[in-house]
Amino acid sequence: MGVYEKKPMSYDEVGQMDYMEDERDAVDSMDEINEEYYAAEDANLDEYDMITKVTDTSAAQARKGKDVQGIPWDRLNITRESYRLTRLEQYMNYENIPLSGEAVDKECQQTEKGSNYFEFFHNTRLVKPTILHFQLRNLVWATSKHDVYLISNYSVMHWSSLLQNLTEVLNFSGHIVPTEKHPGSLSEGFTQTQISTLAVKDRFLVAGGFHGELVCKCLDKPGVSFCARTTFQENAITNAIEIYNNSSGGLHFTTSNNDCGVREYDMERFQLLNHFRFPWPVNHTSVSPDRKLLTVVGDALDGLLVDARNGKTVASVMGHRDYSFASAWHPEGRIFATGNQDKTCRVWDSRNLSLPVAVLKGNMGAIRSVHFSSDGQFLVMAEPADFVHIYSTKADFKKRQEIDFFGEISGASLSPDDESLYIGLWDRTYASLLHYNRRHTYGYLDSLM
């Protein structure tokens, strides 16, 4: 992410967020739909009353025909189908390399749409995900099939789908001070930290800020464990964080920063273990399952495979036409995926990088989030808005489920057991958390029906 793209908002703007930096550096919320909705309602009702009339949607209601987002298409002057065509025609994908999305069309493989691996379960309107930087969309994390952590304005929130309960975990609008003492921790803490990215795994949370801030919290303890700056350079935004178990079983995390650095920390003592430097800003890093390799992608057309012990480049990953912001490893350890602003996710075999295993095309925007399921059966690929795609790895990425909605995506996260998929949606009126559950075929039970 180039320095010219780093545009943090003031805290007044964050607290009263009416817009975000989306793919066009301007609002791309569903203005037409919102205007139609308000016009169709009683003119005597104020805007707050209108918004509160948009309610949750359950699976039972969706089966009876209710829109999963609660959009009242029957009262609007436009159909869902027509508005979908409008969005596809008018949505402007952000590119650092002009026309990169059009240049890849001939490379993309044909895929069969219509699979149904996950089914809609609930849309929660109480949860209001938000986005601070239009290129960074890893702001939703599921730690179980019932527990989700996400960014909402200046807070990290926890949603329990089991208890239908929303609680605040951390509030960054004020002063955060570490309650533990560790070497390198800033005892004075931070004030009004603008959170650019987030990672949550097991009982640990790490948040990264626009100025290289790191805030670490154990979810089982009150307070914050560790506060530090990765760097004091001006162009220091934390683009991505990954938490993982190292080869010895200890919990570590890596940060990817705009100062061209990848840093590895341990989560027991919060000490910096490695600092690898690259020729360009690093947007995302992921660690291979055997902990021997890193995929490193950023403000360059080519990504890198890097030795996780010393940071030396093992191989270049060539083929994308723009900058990449996402990467993920298949749990088996040979295959990895990269998501790019050229609207593609490319799947690679680390043993032969001459050609990608698959080139998967988004419908209208950059691929800003990619995740493999823990069992390795699925690849989840999120565009910046409106579409999340789920590919079957067993079908060689030729079959997919397309989840289709309207709104900017703050993040998409599978639960560790792959039973739940959560998608954060930002929109002025229809902000919500979508919840999908894994479909299972119970042959024995079906035979009894």
Side-chain angles (χ1 to χ4, degrees):
M1 180 174 3
V3 63
Y4 54 87
E5 293 162 17
K6 185 186 68 171
K7 302 172 186 172
M9 302 164 105
S10 72
Y11 248 79
D12 288 339
E13 290 173 319
V14 175
Q16 305 170 15
M17 187 175 292
D18 287 327
Y19 61 91
M20 56 158 274
E21 297 177 279
D22 76 345
E23 298 295 298
R24 296 180 294 173
D25 287 343
V27 68
D28 200 1
S29 66
M30 300 182 294
D31 288 335
E32 281 186 65
I33 296 300
N34 294 340
E35 290 169 9
E36 289 274 3
Y37 175 59
Y38 296 134
E41 295 292 330
D42 186 343
N44 293 323
L45 293 177
D46 63 21
E47 183 171 312
Y48 177 79
D49 293 326
M50 296 295 187
I51 292 173
T52 56
K53 293 181 74 173
V54 182
T55 58
D56 285 8
T57 304
S58 67
Q61 291 172 320
R63 284 194 293 270
K64 292 178 181 178
K66 182 179 178 180
D67 182 82
V68 295
Q69 293 179 265
I71 300 173
W73 298 104
D74 58 335
R75 301 206 298 273
L76 304 181
N77 293 324
I78 188 170
T79 65
R80 191 184 196 281
E81 294 74 20
S82 296
Y83 189 61
R84 168 53 65 218
L85 291 175
T86 299
R87 289 277 284 185
L88 289 170
E89 291 170 0
Q90 295 183 359
Y91 193 89
M92 295 177 65
N93 180 46
Y94 185 89
E95 299 170 331
N96 286 94
I97 310 299
L99 303 178
S100 62
E102 282 64 43
V104 300
D105 284 342
K106 293 180 181 179
E107 303 174 65
C108 299
Q109 71 181 51
Q110 294 297 312
T111 58
E112 180 185 328
K113 187 176 77 170
S115 298
N116 193 17
Y117 308 122
F118 288 77
E119 59 187 356
F120 174 76
F121 179 71
H122 200 87
N123 185 46
T124 305
R125 296 274 300 126
L126 180 63
V127 182
K128 305 287 188 185
T130 53
I131 301 163
L132 268 180
H133 195 289
F134 72 97
Q135 290 171 309
L136 306 179
R137 305 299 184 96
N138 290 303
L139 303 176
V140 176
W141 293 86
T143 56
S144 81
K145 62 183 177 182
H146 301 303
D147 297 285
V148 193
Y149 294 84
L150 63 134
I151 297 293
S152 181
N153 293 327
Y154 43 78
S155 297
V156 177
M157 307 297 293
H158 168 246
W159 169 251
S160 169
S161 63
L162 187 64
L163 302 176
Q164 294 285 291
N165 185 47
L166 183 67
T167 55
E168 187 177 65
V169 178
L170 274 177
N171 187 314
F172 290 93
S173 65
H175 191 194
I176 288 182
V177 178
T179 54
E180 301 175 19
K181 291 185 178 181
H182 297 279
S185 187
L186 298 175
S187 59
E188 67 273 22
F190 298 120
T191 301
Q192 295 189 345
T193 309
Q194 292 184 312
I195 297 303
S196 53
T197 193
L198 178 73
V200 188
K201 179 179 171 65
D202 298 332
R203 302 305 299 163
F204 289 94
L205 177 155
V206 184
F210 271 84
H211 301 288
E213 302 96 335
L214 276 182
V215 177
C216 303
K217 176 178 174 58
C218 176
L219 297 171
D220 291 331
K221 300 178 184 177
V224 166
S225 299
F226 182 73
C227 291
R229 283 193 190 276
T230 54
T231 176
F232 286 90
Q233 290 189 25
E234 182 180 350
N235 188 21
I237 187 170
T238 310
N239 293 321
I241 296 167
E242 182 173 65
I243 305 173
Y244 59 94
N245 293 99
N246 73 346
S247 54
S248 303
L251 210 58
H252 287 199
F253 68 91
T254 59
T255 68
S256 304
N257 285 77
N258 240 37
D259 71 344
C260 307
V262 172
R263 295 167 175 84
E264 178 188 4
Y265 295 82
D266 78 85
M267 291 209 67
E268 183 180 349
R269 297 174 297 114
F270 303 102
Q271 294 305 292
L272 177 65
L273 303 176
N274 283 306
H275 180 193
F276 305 140
R277 295 171 176 84
F278 298 92
W280 26 259
V282 179
N283 296 328
H284 200 274
T285 305
S286 53
V287 185
S288 64
D290 63 7
R291 308 311 182 220
K292 293 181 179 179
L293 294 172
L294 303 175
T295 57
V296 181
V297 298
D299 285 6
L301 302 189
D302 300 341
L304 299 174
L305 274 187
V306 170
D307 189 315
R309 296 166 299 177
N310 54 33
K312 292 183 179 179
T313 297
V314 174
S316 292
V317 183
M318 297 181 287
H320 279 299
R321 307 296 185 91
D322 209 309
Y323 298 169
S324 294
F325 281 81
S327 64
W329 284 86
H330 187 279
E332 180 272 339
R334 292 185 295 105
I335 301 295
F336 65 94
T338 52
N340 192 275
Q341 291 184 157
D342 64 10
K343 299 184 185 179
T344 71
C345 170
R346 292 174 189 247
V347 182
W348 309 89
D349 188 325
S350 59
R351 299 167 301 177
N352 180 7
L353 294 169
S354 58
L355 287 173
V357 173
V359 182
L360 311 172
K361 182 79 180 289
N363 289 334
M364 67 183 197
I367 307 306
R368 300 215 174 273
S369 173
V370 294
H371 301 280
F372 282 99
S373 59
S374 298
D375 63 10
Q377 291 191 39
F378 303 107
L379 171 64
V380 177
M381 170 181 116
E383 301 188 42
D386 291 22
F387 294 102
V388 170
H389 309 269
I390 305 168
Y391 288 87
S392 168
T393 60
K394 287 185 173 180
D396 296 325
F397 306 96
K398 293 176 181 175
K399 292 185 177 181
R400 68 184 168 103
Q401 176 181 358
E402 183 178 278
I403 299 178
D404 165 15
F405 44 84
F406 296 98
E408 295 288 321
I409 300 169
S410 68
S413 180
L414 286 164
S415 59
D417 62 3
D418 299 328
E419 288 299 312
S420 293
L421 170 65
Y422 290 93
I423 303 167
L425 295 186
W426 178 88
D427 183 75
R428 283 197 186 102
T429 305
Y430 297 100
S432 65
L433 185 69
L434 285 168
H435 180 183
Y436 287 76
N437 280 340
R438 178 91 167 258
R439 292 188 76 239
H440 294 281
T441 302
Y442 299 107
Y444 173 73
L445 292 176
D446 291 343
S447 68
L448 296 177
M449 299 301 287

